[in-house]
């Protein structure tokens, strides 16, 4: 099992997103502040990006090697529905060619796929032009996703392409059954 776990030591530094300007009031786009915390953590060799209790609305976040994104209980990352908040397509969490990437904690990632797109078989509503999936990792190694809750992904929930040593445990995915492609 240890070969699947990222190598973050007990002496890892902690980057609190509040120190980078995240407000957690669900009014402002906290994405840039959270990304600054992720980038600072990665530039210093890795550690934990801490998301305290609060409601953080944000667009796409690019995860980096040796970074653990830790969502505290009561912390919710609200996925922004605005296309201009995404640089890497339509995924909320994105990583490519990274190693030792972790997403964990007792917090929640809340997507935008609450409204039904299909009421019953054959009764399709038009799909929105821009839909956001929760996670897309490409060619990443030593990935751990642990204990988080994901609600209402608007497209593919977890898209792991050509990744190696992926460990997912204790994750709850609660998507809208009638939302097309929220698998």
């Amino acid at each position: 099992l240890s070969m699947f776990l990222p190598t973050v030591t007990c002496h890892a530094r902690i980057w609190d997103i509040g120190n980078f300007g995240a407000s957690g009031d669900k009014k402002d786009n906290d994405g840039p502040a959270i990304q600054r915390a992720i980038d600072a953590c990665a530039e210093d060799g890795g550690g934990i990006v801490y998301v305290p209790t609060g409601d953080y609305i944000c667009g796409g976040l690019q995860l980096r090697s040796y970074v653990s994104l830790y969502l505290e209980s009561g912390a919710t990352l609200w996925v922004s529905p605005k296309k201009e908040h995404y640089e890497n397509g339509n995924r909320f969490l994105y990583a490519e060619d990274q190693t030792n990437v972790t997403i964990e904690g007792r917090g929640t990632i809340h997507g935008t796929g609450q409204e039904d797109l299909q009421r019953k078989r054959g009764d399709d509503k038009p799909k929105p032009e821009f839909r956001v999936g929760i996670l897309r990792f490409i060619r990443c190694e030593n990935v751990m996703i642990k204990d988080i809750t994901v609600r209402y992904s608007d497209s593919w929930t977890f898209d792991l392409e050509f990744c190696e040593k992926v460990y997912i445990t204790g994750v709850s995915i609660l998507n809208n059954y009638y939302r097309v492609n929220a698998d």
Side-chain angles (χ1 to χ4, degrees):
L1 181 63
S2 64
M3 71 177 168
F4 292 103
L5 299 178
T7 55
V8 176
T9 67
C10 62
H11 301 290
R13 288 200 45 205
I14 297 174
W15 283 261
D16 186 321
I17 63 170
N19 295 334
F20 290 84
S23 65
D25 61 7
K26 202 179 168 189
K27 293 179 183 175
D28 300 316
N29 178 9
D30 286 317
I34 297 170
Q35 189 64 57
R36 285 192 299 271
I38 291 168
D39 293 344
C41 179
E43 288 171 14
D44 199 41
I48 299 167
V49 173
Y50 178 71
V51 181
T53 299
D55 292 297
Y56 304 89
I57 190 162
C58 52
L61 299 172
Q62 187 166 355
L63 299 181
R64 310 269 188 216
S65 292
Y66 299 99
V67 172
S68 175
L69 182 64
Y70 185 88
L71 306 177
E72 184 63 70
S73 178
T76 301
L77 295 177
W78 293 83
V79 176
S80 171
K82 297 180 180 179
K83 189 174 185 175
E84 62 269 20
H85 290 167
Y86 297 85
E87 292 180 15
N88 293 307
N90 64 338
R91 292 298 186 269
F92 180 63
L93 301 172
Y94 180 82
E96 187 171 350
D97 299 316
Q98 303 298 308
T99 187
N100 294 334
V101 179
T102 300
I103 304 163
E104 66 179 325
R106 297 289 180 181
T108 300
I109 298 172
H110 196 290
T112 60
Q114 289 179 269
E115 179 184 342
D116 292 353
L117 287 183
Q118 184 179 20
R119 299 271 182 213
K120 58 186 177 186
R121 189 173 294 260
D123 181 25
D124 291 335
K125 288 186 175 183
K127 294 179 189 137
E129 287 184 31
F130 183 71
R131 298 175 65 196
V132 182
I134 299 300
L135 178 143
R136 184 174 190 200
F137 285 1
I138 302 169
R139 293 180 308 276
C140 294
E141 186 175 347
N142 293 337
V143 173
M144 183 167 67
I145 305 169
K146 181 179 174 187
D147 298 331
I148 63 169
T149 298
V150 177
R151 293 181 174 275
Y152 302 114
S153 179
D154 196 14
S155 186
W156 290 12
T157 305
F158 290 167
D159 181 7
L160 300 152
E161 300 176 26
F162 306 107
C163 293
E164 295 183 15
K165 299 179 184 171
V166 176
Y167 179 73
I168 300 174
T169 186
V171 174
S172 296
I173 298 175
L174 307 167
N175 286 341
N176 183 344
Y177 178 80
Y178 296 104
R179 196 69 174 187
V180 179
N181 297 114
D183 47 352

